[in-house]
Amino acid sequence: MNKCKFKEKNETFTLDNAKDTSYLYFPITNGFKLKSSVNSQLNGDLKLDQNQFAMVPVSQEDLQNNLFGRHFWMNINGFGLYNASGVSAVQKVRQDDDVSVEAGFLYHKTTRTNDELRLSIELTTFSPYGHDNVELTKVTIQNSSEKPLTFTPTVAIPLYSRSADNLRDHRHVTALLNRAKVVQNGIINQPSLSFDERGHQVNHTRYGVFATTDTQEAAKAYYPKLQEFVGEGGSLDWPKSLLESPDTTYQVGDDMDGFEVNGGIGFAETTLAPQETKSYVMSIVVSEDEPIDEMANQYTVDMFDQKFDEMRAYWSEKMSSLSIQTGDSQFDQYVKWVSLQPILRRIFGCSFLPHHDYGRGGRGWRDLWQDCLALLLTEPEDVEYLLYNNYLGVKIDGTNATIIGSEPGEFVADRNNIPRVWMDHGAWPWNTTKLYLERSGNYDFLFRTQGYFKDKHVHFTRTEDETYDESQGTLQKDKDGNVYEGTILEHILLQNLVQYYNVGEHNNMRLEGADWNDGLDMAKDKGESVTFTAFYAMNLMQISEVLTHLKEQGLSSIEVLEEMRVLLTNDISFDDIEGKHETLNKYFNLITSTVSGKKATIKLDELISTLKNMSEAIRDHLRNKEWLKVNDNTAFYNGYYDNKGNKLEGVINDHVRMTLTGQVFPLMSDIATSEQTKDIIASSKELLYDQKVGGYRLNNNYNEVKLDMGRLFGFAFGHKENGAMFSHMAMMFANALYQQGETKEATSILEEIYEHCMDFDTSKIYPGIPEYIDPDGRGMYHYLTGSASWFILNVVNEMFGVKGHYGKLHLKPSLLKHQFNADGKASISTLYRERKVTITYTNVKQLSHDDYQIKSVLFNNEEVPFEHVDNGVIIDPSHLNDDYTDIEVILDEV
Ligand code: G1P
């Protein structure tokens, strides 16, 4: 049995028999641009972005079958060719290497031993933290036998050096651009041009492979030409040039142009005495401006350890912003690995790991906001800046830019002719901003002014602004040509108000191009997203609550764009669908190209009641029209309408159809009554729950390729958006259940996913949460998933109940009895308002969740006053120390 297990306390994990599991990969990054992946065969790839891949791009099947990885060949006297990475024709047949892995923040180490050869090899891969785009692998070879071991080592890493697009598009022609040079202990390739979607441009990027030894030996042989290295009739797992006496004539200073490049560097034959070790470092370097060999030369074998320690120190400090101690130390370490994932997504976006082969870099709008949820908890210092800049992507019609650049606030005009609106996009910014406001208490943020994004697509992309051309830039202007700015609150209001009017024939918000579920993309005409209608209703209510708070602080009115008055009219009744459309069109017509730039003053009282009324009307409507009672045991919310205008859920062709998404937002928004909540839980258990995949599926099997709903129904059932256990929605389900006080149900969702993922034989992933679990139980699309943010949010905000209440610390734990350790303690170290705190809940009587409440709170052993609110307590943050506060919370009988 393979087992992936944590080493005691230090957050590294180990895996034995690693070669018996396929599709594993581990992310490596320098914290900035370099992004690579590596597995126990040193396969994977390395890139800075879509157009700068140093290694051949790798997707899931390539992890086992691609030969363009990192190789360290040893031509062993008395044996022949042996690859320290394991990728050799002979080793594949012999299968007599023993392979284990250890990984930590943020390195991957493979240990390969061979009993017959009495050889033990450690291969440690990492990237030094910082702006150098360098990945290092130290290969340490130990002769474990009683006899001397003689071998000739050769590093071979093919240098792809171009855009991922060229994998199928001009793969050979782009090789003609290659200009490789042999330098001391390295091969550098600087293609003359780059061919990609930007056109044919002079290329300035240099790609290099370097190799060095612990005795600083000069390389003896160079193999820059891939064809020659492989040899006629050979292959990268059996390179003919190494088979007999290596023979190469390349010298330092030689050029090799117009062929595929190999980072091939050979050293002189070496002999290891019994038990002796020898180390080599091979590096892959990408430089956009610095002299590449100078950069690479710093990374000697001696420097490797120093850089490794520095990198470890950096990540260890970074990861210290969140840790928990419960009754299950494996769970605690698992959470730590999940908390790495939002950071990885900030760096990798939704692309660049082997499963994420659709991505071209960057992130989607929704991901931009959701990733901030966890960053708010773990990297709060930059979040206000990020949030503020993200709002620049909002358009004056309430939609948003969909092409997002790599820098905060960088949004790009969509030039392609398939403009699309995801109707959920307007809902997420408030959700994230609310969390920020609750914790920070910085309500002034709502009144900072920010611009709007502008491109030619207007009226929810239904038409184009004829007066717009790209030379005008991407900032919304007023009629005098000045850049128009409105408050963040105005942006938020706009995003939520337009949706209120944008309804379909059943008076739910139109699905448009899709909602959260990207796969629901074929119901643009008549599709409706009932579930996101509930989400927007929740937002409207929460915004009105925040405005009520501001009113209590003395605010009496706000200013918004004059034209927005149209959206704040009270004249349209909720059921008047036509009236809603007319209102929306009236607004759209006012803002098609420019805006007036004038501001209207809106009385807060009126605004609060308008928003409340809107929210309540939606709430009543959903309860009356979308609750489906299938039979005495089965009842749940309909989540969608298809493109024929039919309900997606309920009994269809004698078969009950249900989605999880349909339930999550009515629950989260408190639209579901407590009785309905019970029904939803029971129905979800009956129709969606499957222990084999670690929890609740996204939908049950519709047995139909529903062309009137979306591409997801083309996926086989149980895969990805068609009925997999999709972690992101499962996490939001858990969150909604926590909100509803269904603590046991919520906790078990988190725990089941954790248990499934840590059951390595089934999940076959390194620790963490994957995007989904496939029908065989395997974790898919590991690391880069929004579910990690929601997992962390659930742990911090709900399980440990470390929340904000208008800037005050709100503690409301949902810890269950079994989550306390034997001494009745459970603690969390986290950041609160950018200050470090450790909060220890003490439940010496081991009371169950329903039976305890907070009795006293001590900050650094001193009791502090608190107020009971909403089953928790509120404490003034002025009691917090600037650097660190140790908080003890005593729980006792209610
Ligand atoms: C992915 C996308 C997310 C989308 C979801 C469902 O989820 O990133 O934006 O809403 O699929 O289509 P993730 O990989 O973040 O779990």
Side-chain angles (χ1 to χ4, degrees):
M1 190 156 118
N2 303 326
K3 201 142 174 61
C4 199
K5 40 183 188 297
F6 290 113
K7 282 185 155 182
E8 197 54 33
K9 293 268 177 233
N10 71 0
E11 292 143 11
T12 57
F13 63 84
T14 56
L15 172 68
D16 295 336
N17 305 324
K19 78 174 193 311
D20 296 343
T21 304
S22 299
Y23 305 115
L24 288 166
Y25 56 82
F26 188 82
I28 297 287
T29 173
N30 61 357
F32 295 92
K33 289 184 105 173
L34 182 136
K35 301 172 259 293
S36 72
S37 55
V38 66
N39 69 6
S40 62
Q41 301 194 333
L42 302 195
N43 212 331
D45 63 20
L46 184 151
K47 78 294 291 178
L48 303 190
D49 56 33
Q50 175 74 2
N51 295 317
Q52 301 184 97
F53 270 73
M55 296 171 75
V56 173
V58 162
S59 56
Q60 81 152 17
E61 295 304 331
D62 306 320
L63 282 165
Q64 292 65 238
N65 300 314
N66 163 46
L67 299 178
F68 292 88
R70 307 159 182 89
H71 304 269
F72 188 95
W73 288 101
M74 299 163 68
N75 203 340
I76 301 176
N77 283 9
F79 179 82
L81 277 186
Y82 180 88
N83 196 342
S85 73
V87 182
S88 87
V90 163
Q91 279 154 280
K92 269 184 199 154
V93 173
R94 288 170 59 108
Q95 289 286 320
D96 59 353
D97 285 351
D98 190 24
V99 183
S100 64
V101 162
E102 174 192 306
F105 300 125
L106 206 49
Y107 72 94
H108 186 269
K109 178 159 93 184
T110 302
T111 304
R112 179 174 290 277
T113 55
N114 187 294
D115 283 349
E116 189 188 323
L117 291 168
R118 309 284 299 275
L119 193 60
S120 169
I121 304 169
E122 264 183 22
L123 307 115
T124 308
T125 304
F126 81 100
S127 175
Y129 175 75
H131 288 280
D132 280 1
N133 296 313
V134 181
E135 183 207 81
L136 306 173
T137 298
K138 179 156 97 170
V139 183
T140 300
I141 299 161
Q142 182 177 27
N143 172 13
S144 321
S145 75
E146 310 308 319
K147 290 190 237 141
L149 174 80
T150 301
F151 62 93
T152 308
T154 307
V155 167
I157 304 176
L159 275 174
Y160 174 72
S161 328
R162 61 193 100 156
S163 167
D165 295 347
N166 299 132
L167 201 57
R168 249 319 277 161
D169 181 7
H170 296 90
R171 169 99 183 243
H172 172 255
V173 170
T174 46
L176 309 181
L177 308 171
N178 283 342
R179 300 288 190 275
K181 193 167 204 63
V182 176
V183 297
Q184 187 61 55
N185 286 42
I187 306 287
I188 299 172
N189 183 28
Q190 181 175 3
S192 55
L193 301 172
S194 63
F195 284 6
D196 54 52
E197 82 278 3
R198 298 165 303 179
H200 301 165
Q201 299 196 346
V202 173
N203 166 60
H204 299 286
T205 306
R206 276 153 285 179
Y207 304 86
V209 168
F210 292 82
T212 160
T213 74
D214 48 9
T215 46
Q216 309 259 19
E217 285 161 51
K220 269 271 184 278
Y222 295 96
Y223 306 85
K225 189 168 173 180
L226 191 67
Q227 292 181 358
E228 285 172 358
F229 176 69
V230 167
E232 300 296 334
S235 58
L236 271 167
D237 62 355
W238 207 241
K240 285 206 166 163
S241 61
L242 300 184
L243 276 178
E244 284 162 10
S245 59
D247 184 18
T248 164
T249 55
Y250 289 96
Q251 305 289 329
V252 171
D254 283 354
D255 294 324
M256 195 291 298
D257 298 341
F259 290 93
E260 290 288 351
V261 180
N262 178 42
I265 303 154
F267 290 96
E269 182 180 278
T270 188
T271 299
L272 295 185
Q275 305 309 319
E276 197 188 351
T277 61
K278 183 163 180 70
S279 292
Y280 299 80
V281 167
M282 47 189 192
S283 49
I284 307 172
V285 189
V286 187
S287 166
E288 293 174 288
D289 38 34
E290 277 180 67
I292 191 166
D293 34 357
E294 277 176 30
M295 200 203 296
N297 285 339
Q298 306 165 40
Y299 297 103
T300 58
V301 175
D302 282 351
M303 283 303 282
F304 182 96
D305 292 344
Q306 186 186 323
K307 291 285 170 190
F308 184 81
D309 291 345
E310 284 169 14
M311 177 279 303
R312 291 281 283 150
Y314 169 80
W315 285 104
S316 155
E317 167 62 22
K318 175 128 216 108
M319 300 311 297
S320 71
S321 59
L322 179 70
S323 64
I324 62 168
Q325 290 80 41
T326 65
D328 178 355
S329 69
Q330 182 181 257
F331 179 71
D332 304 345
Q333 302 215 44
Y334 175 79
V335 168
K336 197 91 192 182
W337 279 89
V338 176
S339 73
L340 171 72
Q341 295 183 227
I343 299 172
L344 290 176
R345 204 151 93 156
R346 176 169 58 67
I347 297 167
F348 282 72
C350 302
S351 324
F352 304 137
L353 285 178
H355 278 137
H356 304 75
D357 51 8
Y358 44 62
R360 300 178 59 82
R363 271 178 295 171
W365 175 260
R366 164 187 320 126
D367 306 322
L368 207 59
W369 294 93
Q370 298 201 67
D371 294 352
C372 282
L373 287 174
L375 301 180
L376 259 166
L377 308 174
T378 54
E379 295 184 302
E381 61 282 4
D382 296 331
V383 170
E384 181 182 339
Y385 174 75
L386 283 178
L387 292 180
Y388 175 72
N389 281 292
N390 289 351
Y391 274 105
L392 189 55
V394 177
K395 292 170 61 170
I396 206 77
D397 71 353
T399 61
N400 53 271
T402 49
I403 305 189
I404 294 156
S406 51
E407 294 304 314
E410 196 190 323
F411 297 99
V412 185
D414 188 353
R415 293 204 189 94
N416 60 36
N417 287 323
I418 39 164
R420 188 169 160 193
V421 169
W422 281 263
M423 65 79 69
D424 65 309
H425 277 185
W428 303 106
W430 168 249
N431 195 255
T432 305
T433 305
K434 178 176 153 281
L435 185 73
Y436 166 72
L437 295 173
E438 281 169 352
R439 293 175 84 85
S440 68
N442 178 18
Y443 288 86
D444 290 345
F445 177 71
L446 291 174
F447 299 96
R448 288 184 68 182
T449 56
Q450 175 61 289
Y452 286 87
F453 183 79
K454 169 76 184 162
D455 61 9
K456 66 179 179 187
H457 305 296
V458 287
H459 300 200
F460 268 50
T461 73
R462 274 170 225 145
T463 181
E464 288 185 4
D465 173 8
E466 302 293 339
T467 68
Y468 176 81
D469 72 71
E470 275 181 26
S471 65
Q472 294 167 20
T474 56
L475 289 174
Q476 175 69 48
K477 307 260 175 64
D478 69 19
K479 62 178 179 353
D480 299 325
N482 302 316
V483 170
Y484 173 72
E485 292 196 343
T487 61
I488 296 294
L489 178 59
E490 180 187 286
H491 288 66
I492 293 167
L493 285 170
L494 204 47
Q495 290 185 300
N496 288 280
L497 284 169
V498 291
Q499 293 293 345
Y500 176 81
Y501 298 97
N502 189 36
V503 289
E505 61 191 45
H506 303 93
N507 214 356
N508 303 296
M509 294 169 190
R510 287 163 47 85
L511 179 61
E512 299 288 342
D515 67 1
W516 168 87
N517 194 329
D518 288 325
L520 295 174
D521 57 353
M522 294 166 84
K524 196 164 181 243
D525 305 320
K526 293 191 158 200
E528 293 172 43
S529 173
V530 180
T531 195
F532 272 89
T533 305
F535 198 139
Y536 281 106
M538 169 171 76
N539 283 0
L540 291 166
M541 187 57 81
Q542 290 169 345
I543 298 166
S544 80
E545 284 162 7
V546 165
L547 294 177
T548 305
H549 169 74
L550 294 177
K551 194 182 129 202
E552 285 160 11
Q553 309 291 304
L555 190 74
S556 58
S557 63
I558 62 157
E559 287 197 329
V560 295
L561 175 69
E562 170 79 32
E563 291 88 322
M564 280 175 67
R565 270 191 197 282
V566 172
L567 301 173
L568 291 166
T569 169
N570 281 320
D571 298 347
I572 311 293
S573 88
F574 177 78
D575 293 322
D576 182 1
I577 294 175
E578 274 309 302
K580 284 180 172 171
H581 293 170
E582 278 164 24
T583 306
L584 193 59
N585 284 335
K586 197 165 157 192
Y587 175 68
F588 281 169
N589 288 332
L590 290 171
I591 50 100
T592 301
S593 50
T594 56
V595 294
S596 66
K598 290 196 195 122
K599 300 284 183 187
T601 302
I602 308 288
K603 287 206 182 109
L604 217 47
D605 276 340
E606 286 171 19
L607 180 58
I608 291 167
S609 88
T610 304
L611 297 175
K612 256 195 188 148
N613 290 343
M614 286 175 166
S615 178
E616 271 162 11
I618 297 175
R619 170 182 303 247
D620 291 345
H621 162 76
L622 296 183
R623 280 183 185 158
N624 291 331
K625 298 276 169 56
E626 301 298 341
W627 179 248
L628 299 169
K629 186 137 185 77
V630 174
N631 57 42
D632 285 351
N633 305 318
T634 313
F636 51 86
Y637 273 94
N638 172 50
Y640 294 92
Y641 284 85
D642 67 21
N643 218 25
K644 297 196 183 81
N646 295 325
K647 279 187 162 66
L648 182 68
E649 290 159 66
V651 183
I652 292 151
N653 302 334
D654 295 332
H655 178 76
V656 188
R657 293 179 171 185
M658 180 182 184
T659 69
L660 182 62
T661 315
Q663 315 318 312
V664 168
F665 299 112
L667 281 172
M668 203 183 270
S669 58
D670 217 17
I671 286 173
T673 61
S674 49
E675 221 171 276
Q676 289 177 342
T677 303
K678 302 278 177 221
D679 284 341
I680 289 172
I681 293 172
S683 305
S684 306
K685 285 207 168 118
E686 180 199 337
L687 295 166
L688 303 176
Y689 180 76
D690 187 345
Q691 192 258 336
K692 280 202 311 289
V693 293
Y696 295 90
R697 293 180 180 280
L698 213 42
N699 49 272
N700 61 349
N701 194 348
Y702 280 36
N703 287 305
E704 183 187 343
V705 181
K706 265 190 79 62
L707 295 177
D708 53 11
M709 204 62 236
R711 64 162 191 252
L712 74 86
F713 289 103
F715 300 157
F717 177 68
H719 292 267
K720 222 166 179 333
E721 278 100 342
N722 187 11
M725 194 297 288
F726 205 96
S727 308
H728 195 179
M729 194 46 70
M731 280 305 113
M732 292 194 276
F733 186 36
N735 190 272
L737 291 172
Y738 273 123
Q739 311 283 341
Q740 290 294 322
E742 295 288 345
T743 307
K744 281 193 191 130
E745 297 295 340
T747 310
S748 70
I749 294 175
L750 264 69
E751 289 184 341
E752 277 201 56
I753 290 184
Y754 144 67
E755 278 158 17
H756 185 97
C757 292
M758 287 307 296
D759 172 9
F760 182 82
D761 277 335
T762 312
S763 71
K764 299 186 171 62
I765 51 167
Y766 291 150
I769 187 165
E771 181 186 86
Y772 72 93
I773 303 292
D774 83 4
D776 295 337
R778 187 189 291 267
M780 299 294 293
Y781 292 72
H782 194 9
Y783 294 111
L784 309 179
T785 156
S787 56
S789 276
W790 280 82
F791 195 104
I792 296 305
L793 189 69
N794 282 330
V795 168
V796 177
N797 246 40
E798 305 303 332
M799 191 178 276
F800 281 88
V802 183
K803 296 165 181 271
H805 182 86
Y806 297 108
K808 292 189 175 166
L809 175 60
H810 182 195
L811 297 177
K812 187 188 171 193
S814 293
L815 289 156
L816 298 181
K817 195 158 103 179
H818 71 269
Q819 294 177 307
F820 292 90
N821 69 14
D823 299 330
K825 288 185 191 293
S827 65
I828 181 165
S829 296
T830 181
L831 294 170
Y832 190 80
R833 298 187 74 155
E834 294 177 38
R835 296 175 222 180
K836 287 194 168 175
V837 292
T838 296
I839 299 168
T840 304
Y841 291 104
T842 306
N843 176 13
V844 278
K845 294 186 185 160
Q846 299 280 7
L847 298 166
S848 63
H849 174 250
D850 294 337
D851 297 334
Y852 67 64
Q853 72 168 11
I854 295 177
K855 282 288 149 111
S856 55
V857 181
L858 295 93
F859 277 28
N860 296 328
N861 296 321
E862 299 268 330
E863 282 216 27
V864 292
F866 58 80
E867 197 189 324
H868 276 285
V869 170
D870 181 26
N871 289 330
V873 300
I874 289 177
I875 303 154
D876 201 298
S878 60
H879 296 288
L880 292 173
N881 286 352
D882 280 345
D883 47 355
Y884 172 76
T885 310
D886 190 44
I887 301 175
E888 192 181 6
V889 182
I890 312 291
L891 304 174
D892 211 334
E893 266 116 344
V894 173

